[in-house]
Amino acid sequence: MSTYIAGVDIGNATTETALGKVEAGALMQCTKGIAPTTGIKGTKENIRGILHSLKAAAEEMDIPLTQLDLVRINEATPVIGDFAMETITETVITESALIGHNPDTPGGLGLGIGKTIDIRTLEEAIQEEEYIAVVPEQVDFSAAAQIINTQWQRGIKVRGAILKKDDGVLVANRLIQVIPIIDEVESIERVPLGMICAVEVAAPGRCIDLLSNPYGIATAFGLTPKETKQIVPLAKALIGNRSAVVIKTPKGEIRERRIPAGEVMIQGSQRVYRASVDHGAEEIMNAVAKAGDIADVTGTQGTNVGGMLEKVRGEMAALTEQERSEVRIKDLMAVDTIVPKEVQGNLANEFAMEKAVGIAAMVKTHKLHMERLAEALASELKRPVEIGGVEGTMAVIGALTTPGTEKPLLVLDIGAGSTDACLMKEEGETKAVHLAGAGNMVTMMINAELGLQNAQLAEEIKKFPLAKVESLYHIRHEDGTVEFFQEPIDSQYFARVVIMKPDGWKAVAAKKSLEVIRQIRREAKEKVLIRNILRALKRVSLTGNLNEFEYVVLVGGSSLDFELGNMVTEALAHYGIVSGKANVRGVEGPRNAVATGLLLSHLSQHEER
Amino acid sequence: MILQAKCTVQEATIAQEVGYGIEEEGIPYAVEKEKGFSAEDVYHQAQRSPLGVCILVEDARIWLFARMLKEKRPLFLMEIEQLAQAREMGKNAARVIKHRPFV
């Protein structure tokens, strides 16, 4: 007689089922089901997702749900992760002092220095002064050109122009002399009049030379050595631009401010380690490494980092119905990054690259309420439901069905919120670790470094390869291969970087080249995932020496990532470790490991009896 | 290249605005006026034009043809309501040549 046993793995994102037909203690046939997890993992809302997943597997097996003899659900690892980004420097321009600007098509060429003046009052200008004309929206390009030409004939020295509209080239083409013209200055009304201003436009293909050099700015404005020191962040922000405007107001100042970003206090097994967020990720990670077994982590109150750690604690407390004070943060991961931030007091949405630190935290509590979920599921299904083994152990049992693996085996499960590693030794003994920082953190890094402010887009950049639409008929993939099409490509993608999603393309709005986006994507994965994998290996290792591992397999959703598998193989090959994506039961790929483990562990329990 | 179909004042204004758009992007262009230009002519002009782009202004409608499109259909076909749209079309025409994303 055959019995039907189902293993159900409720993950943060998906609920997976492995349904087995068992005859005389041997697995005859196995089918799978997958459905999105409904509600937060470990709550009764999960039941809908579980039923969907079970039904899919049962349909494939061609049995009704009522014929199930046993449903085994995982004892979920009560781990939750969260992350935050903390900017530690900020460029502030006070009194609209000095701005940089880089429109697509500036006009003219060269460097012009003079007092800012509204073009409509240029008739009142005097011959002894030098001027920079400020052209508001109301004055169109031909009128602006005409006024400047007339004033030149009158002997007025107009040395450059700043335009609100995108008319720079049009004005330049109608002038009798060549002067630098900057256009697309969004907040032209904020340009102070009667102030000394320098405008620089470089030739096509060149970068500005004078205004990106602190001494160049000092020369233009006659700055003192002390003042020159202050404008370094400005010069830095202008490097690589084709054009720039710098205006000096008497009281104006620009500075790079270091924001007090707070401290993290890591309660180790022996003592408390403190690390200042301002000093970057390295100091925090050193403290984490020194602390060893972390008892809890707190942050300075009233700072971003403090707030974020308390938020994680609060969420976990609410989820598990525990007191806030009982929830402990068990791991922390920090990563240095550089993010574009809008300059405070800017005139045309200028950005400056600021240093920031990304932080992920992980919380462990008592068991999630899986018993309650099991009871609810049993009454819904009217079939027996039991809680199987620990998630990590189940994952290893499932992963061991991958052809070419053997014990001792280390299984890495890179999820959305945490990176879990479980080592099974030859005798079957297991050791599991859970680390903060995983898929979601990579998404956050991509989002921040590209300045997208769109987590959905960042997630897609993380998941799928890129291509550049080179003409209306062909694209170049990120590896350099060219693909041609019979039908013309939609004009909205023309000359853009697109994400090659399986269900269609998506244009990336960021003004970054494909190479830069790709590099940021890979670096984010390297900084978070690869580093975390190495950290996980060190933690489970007995000797601290990575060469002791032989087989490492990746399971879980993140291992479906198109490039992560290869990145891990590359990184671990260095230590002589065989690593790669799992192929559960030889057919499932990296999915279904825990569900399969739940099913198989039931069979082996029976054998023992 | 910009062609005008009926040589009306309206067409001339729109064609000029398209021209400004092309000029701002730094691409050279020429304007031709001849009564009775049709979409078909513009397609053939686009094939012959050195930069491979040709625009027809017919009343308030703009047809933008690019050589690389083999079928006889325009890259853009737009009814102009504001002159700013004509300027944008000019920019787009230039961007086909410059390989920059459209406005």
Side-chain angles (χ1 to χ4, degrees):
Chain A
M1 204 202 93
S2 48
T3 52
Y4 294 95
I5 317 283
V8 181
D9 167 29
I10 305 141
N12 286 315
T14 55
T15 301
E16 297 176 9
T17 301
L19 174 60
K21 181 178 177 183
V22 182
E23 277 172 28
L27 186 63
M28 305 306 291
Q29 193 192 349
C30 187
T31 62
K32 60 139 192 238
I34 182 163
T37 298
T38 46
I40 297 166
K41 174 173 170 174
T43 57
K44 283 183 194 168
E45 279 82 56
N46 295 160
I47 289 181
R48 259 192 313 132
I50 297 173
L51 290 179
H52 272 290
S53 176
L54 270 174
K55 266 182 203 151
E59 264 166 34
E60 211 182 309
M61 182 75 81
D62 207 17
I63 56 160
L65 282 185
T66 47
Q67 223 176 311
L68 289 174
D69 293 289
L70 180 64
V71 176
R72 286 165 59 84
I73 61 175
N74 54 322
E75 184 184 302
T77 327
V79 164
I80 199 168
D82 197 11
F83 50 87
M85 185 155 286
E86 183 95 27
T87 319
I88 52 182
T89 60
E90 185 181 33
T91 304
V92 183
I93 301 174
T94 52
E95 311 258 345
S96 59
L98 302 135
I99 63 160
H101 185 41
N102 200 22
D104 279 342
T105 51
L109 193 67
L111 174 76
I113 301 170
K115 263 191 183 174
T116 48
I117 185 166
D118 189 322
I119 192 159
R120 291 167 294 189
T121 59
L122 210 51
E123 293 133 45
E124 299 153 26
I126 49 168
Q127 290 183 349
E128 292 71 38
E129 281 278 8
E130 299 194 335
Y131 294 101
I132 299 290
V134 177
V135 185
E137 208 170 356
Q138 298 85 335
V139 182
D140 86 341
F141 65 90
S142 58
Q146 206 184 358
I147 296 173
I148 296 174
N149 281 334
T150 319
Q151 295 303 321
W152 270 338
Q153 277 153 4
R154 199 164 72 85
I156 299 296
K157 303 184 193 85
V158 180
R159 299 298 189 206
I162 307 171
L163 275 55
K164 172 155 187 179
K165 289 195 286 184
D166 182 13
D167 284 342
V169 178
L170 291 170
V171 174
N173 286 351
R174 282 160 184 75
L175 292 179
I176 47 179
Q177 290 178 36
V178 178
I179 54 165
I181 300 171
I182 301 244
D183 56 6
E184 293 180 81
V185 174
E186 204 63 40
S187 316
I188 199 138
E189 65 285 347
R190 296 214 320 251
V191 172
L193 297 175
M195 298 298 159
I196 298 288
C197 168
V199 178
E200 186 178 3
V201 174
R206 307 289 295 260
C207 299
I208 51 160
D209 185 38
L210 205 87
L211 296 183
S212 60
N213 172 4
Y215 298 121
I217 300 176
T219 314
F221 295 105
L223 299 182
T224 63
K226 198 176 157 236
E227 286 168 324
T228 309
K229 214 171 171 181
Q230 281 184 354
I231 50 95
V232 172
L234 173 94
K236 200 181 85 191
L238 295 180
I239 292 173
N241 279 12
R242 219 196 110 194
S243 62
V245 192
V246 174
I247 305 165
K248 187 174 186 290
T249 58
K251 278 192 213 152
E253 72 172 316
I254 178 164
R255 58 206 156 92
E256 190 183 54
R257 198 165 69 177
R258 286 191 87 84
I259 307 165
E263 268 190 333
V264 287
M265 278 78 79
I266 303 160
Q267 175 76 53
S269 40
Q270 305 291 323
R271 50 166 278 216
V272 176
Y273 295 84
R274 286 167 178 273
S276 165
V277 177
D278 316 6
H279 292 168
E282 208 184 316
E283 191 173 310
I284 300 174
M285 291 318 284
N286 281 342
V288 169
K290 269 190 238 157
D293 257 346
I294 296 172
D296 197 9
V297 183
T298 50
T300 315
Q301 276 193 349
T303 62
N304 269 352
V305 64
M308 172 223 147
L309 293 174
E310 285 319 301
K311 193 177 131 229
V312 179
R313 206 185 297 277
E315 272 173 15
M316 199 62 192
L319 183 65
T320 56
E321 294 167 26
Q322 287 186 83
E323 282 299 313
R324 244 184 130 86
S325 52
E326 283 175 33
V327 179
R328 304 263 180 264
I329 293 173
K330 302 294 279 184
D331 188 42
L332 200 67
M333 187 193 205
V335 179
D336 275 326
T337 153
I338 290 183
V339 297
K341 281 262 174 196
E342 204 167 304
V343 174
Q344 301 270 314
N346 69 78
L347 292 179
N349 304 321
E350 290 88 19
F351 284 88
M353 300 308 284
E354 309 284 4
K355 286 186 203 128
V357 178
I359 291 175
M362 190 269 298
V363 160
K364 236 188 219 171
T365 64
H366 303 302
K367 259 192 198 178
L368 284 171
H369 298 290
M370 292 314 254
E371 290 94 354
R372 239 190 268 170
L373 179 63
E375 273 167 37
L377 184 63
S379 66
E380 178 86 28
L381 272 175
K382 308 203 169 49
R383 306 303 310 160
V385 176
E386 68 173 28
I387 295 175
V390 181
E391 204 168 278
T393 314
M394 294 302 115
V396 183
I397 296 175
L400 272 170
T401 60
T402 300
T405 55
E406 65 171 10
K407 288 186 244 176
L409 177 72
L410 183 96
V411 172
L412 279 169
D413 183 353
I414 303 161
S418 69
T419 299
D420 306 329
C422 187
L423 174 71
M424 185 177 271
K425 295 182 196 148
E426 270 156 89
E427 317 79 62
E429 204 185 317
T430 58
K431 184 178 179 187
V433 292
H434 308 282
L435 300 175
N440 285 348
M441 196 180 186
V442 175
T443 306
M444 174 190 75
M445 300 262 299
I446 294 173
N447 194 7
E449 289 194 11
L450 288 173
L452 298 175
Q453 291 170 321
N454 180 345
Q456 177 67 33
L457 182 64
E459 177 77 16
E460 284 165 350
I461 290 177
K462 177 182 82 174
K463 277 188 180 157
F464 307 108
L466 299 167
K468 171 88 193 264
V469 179
E470 293 204 322
S471 82
L472 290 164
Y473 283 103
H474 81 281
I475 62 170
R476 188 178 293 274
H477 291 278
E478 62 172 56
D479 64 352
T481 51
V482 175
E483 190 178 351
F484 282 86
F485 297 91
Q486 288 292 323
E487 285 296 305
I489 295 162
D490 190 335
S491 65
Q492 63 165 318
Y493 299 123
F494 179 72
R496 290 186 194 274
V497 175
V498 291
I499 307 168
M500 306 301 286
K501 287 168 62 182
D503 57 343
W505 300 353
K506 183 165 184 178
V508 181
K511 257 195 199 173
K512 294 260 173 34
S513 72
L514 183 146
E515 288 73 23
V516 171
I517 300 174
R518 177 171 184 265
Q519 194 191 350
I520 286 177
R521 182 191 75 208
R522 288 184 67 97
E523 269 176 14
K525 287 177 184 173
E526 210 130 283
K527 280 197 262 189
V528 178
L529 303 179
I530 301 291
R531 254 182 61 197
N532 235 358
I533 289 172
L534 295 176
R535 219 153 62 94
L537 290 173
K538 284 208 178 102
R539 289 266 185 101
V540 289
S541 131
L542 296 170
T543 57
N545 183 352
L546 298 188
N547 293 321
E548 72 180 68
F549 298 104
E550 278 187 59
Y551 297 97
V552 171
V553 294
L554 297 176
V555 301
S558 288
S559 53
L560 289 172
D561 184 290
F562 70 101
E563 60 188 348
L564 184 64
N566 294 343
M567 287 172 80
V568 174
T569 308
E570 243 168 41
L572 295 186
H574 184 67
Y575 300 96
I577 302 171
V578 184
S579 65
K581 289 185 207 177
N583 192 8
V584 175
R585 286 186 272 114
V587 290
E588 299 292 349
R591 285 215 174 265
N592 214 273
V594 175
T596 301
L598 284 164
L599 171 63
L600 295 181
S601 64
H602 176 77
L603 298 184
S604 58
Q605 278 169 18
H606 264 259
E607 263 169 42
E608 279 159 29
R609 272 180 227 163
Chain B
M1 187 168 295
I2 308 171
L3 303 182
Q4 297 174 26
K6 292 177 188 157
C7 311
T8 58
V9 178
Q10 185 195 25
E11 279 180 3
T13 320
I14 292 177
Q16 193 175 43
E17 211 53 42
V18 173
Y20 291 150
I22 300 176
E23 187 183 341
E24 176 62 27
E25 295 285 321
I27 300 282
Y29 68 97
V31 185
E32 271 184 39
K33 295 180 191 178
E34 192 182 298
K35 278 195 180 163
F37 269 133
S38 69
E40 186 119 334
D41 293 329
V42 186
Y43 170 74
H44 289 298
Q45 283 289 347
Q47 306 302 308
R48 278 198 294 274
S49 142
L51 292 174
V53 176
C54 190
I55 296 158
L56 172 73
V57 184
E58 187 185 26
D59 294 327
R61 189 178 297 144
I62 292 182
W63 305 70
L64 201 168
F65 281 89
R67 178 166 51 203
M68 51 182 145
L69 286 168
K70 8 179 206 192
E71 285 118 60
K72 294 183 180 177
R73 58 186 198 201
L75 178 59
F76 289 104
L77 174 58
M78 195 182 199
E79 210 62 54
I80 299 300
E81 282 154 19
Q82 284 174 329
L83 276 180
Q85 292 171 310
R87 180 88 68 99
E88 266 179 21
M89 275 297 126
K91 282 188 184 172
N92 283 344
R95 287 175 182 209
V96 175
I97 297 156
K98 287 166 78 176
H99 281 259
R100 296 286 317 276
F102 298 131
V103 185

